[in-house]
Amino acid sequence: MINVRRLLVAFVLLGLLTACGRSGSTPPGGGQRVVASGVQVAGVSVGGMTAAAAEQVIAGLAAEHSRAPVEPYVDPSTHGLVPGLDGVRVDVLATLRNVLGARPRQKVPLSTVLLAPRLRLRDLPPAPIYHASLQRPWVALVINVAWGD
C-alpha cells in the first residue's frame, strides 16, 4: 500500500513539474505565435510581432493595396468602348500564414485575389476602342497604311 501511495505522489509531482516547465516556455503575447525576426511584408517590418499584431498590420496594408474592379463602358463623347480593369483584394489570412511561416529576414509578398468586372467588352455593343482606362498605364501601337493617294 505504501508503494502505491509513493507512486501516486511521484506521478502528481511529475505532472506539476511538467506543467511548470511548460508555463515558462510560452512565447510572448500570451501563447501566440511570433513572427521571425526581420520579416517584412510589402516593405513593412513585422518581425518579432505576435500573430494578432501582424494581422492588424496586414489588414492595414490590405486597405491600401486593395481596389475594386472597374466596369467597361461606352464613352459618351466618342461612343467608343473603354475597357474595364480587374480589381485586387488582399487575402489577409493567406498573407498572415505566409508571414508566420517565413524565415528570418525574408520579404513576404501580399497574397492577392483578382476580382474581375461583372461586364466584359463582349457584353457591350460593338464599337471601336479609342482610349483605355486612365487608371492603368497602357501602350498602344497603331500603324495606318495608306496605298496610293
Side-chain angles (χ1 to χ4, degrees):
M1 190 76 158
I2 294 174
N3 289 337
V4 173
R5 284 185 191 166
R6 285 185 182 176
L7 188 60
L8 183 60
V9 169
F11 278 124
V12 169
L13 288 175
L14 182 63
L16 288 174
L17 289 173
T18 305
C20 289
R22 282 190 198 137
S23 66
S25 65
T26 57
Q32 288 190 14
R33 291 182 60 188
V34 176
V35 179
S37 65
V39 173
Q40 291 185 0
V41 60
V44 177
S45 178
V46 291
M49 291 185 181
T50 63
E55 184 176 8
Q56 288 180 343
V57 170
I58 294 167
L61 290 170
E64 293 175 21
H65 293 280
S66 295
R67 69 174 183 268
V70 177
E71 301 295 329
Y73 63 94
V74 177
D75 186 353
S77 62
T78 64
H79 302 290
L81 298 178
V82 178
L85 289 174
D86 287 337
V88 176
R89 180 181 56 84
V90 174
D91 188 342
V92 175
L93 294 179
T95 304
L96 179 63
R97 273 194 305 273
N98 293 340
V99 164
L100 290 173
R103 297 181 313 276
R105 294 179 303 284
Q106 184 177 352
K107 294 181 180 182
V108 178
L110 292 170
S111 296
T112 58
V113 177
L114 286 179
L115 306 171
R118 288 178 292 128
L119 294 175
R120 296 185 148 317
L121 282 178
R122 65 177 169 240
D123 299 332
L124 299 173
I129 298 175
Y130 292 115
H131 64 85
S133 174
L134 300 176
Q135 297 176 358
R136 182 172 172 187
W138 296 85
V139 175
L141 174 64
V142 178
I143 300 172
N144 187 6
V145 178
W147 297 100
D149 293 335

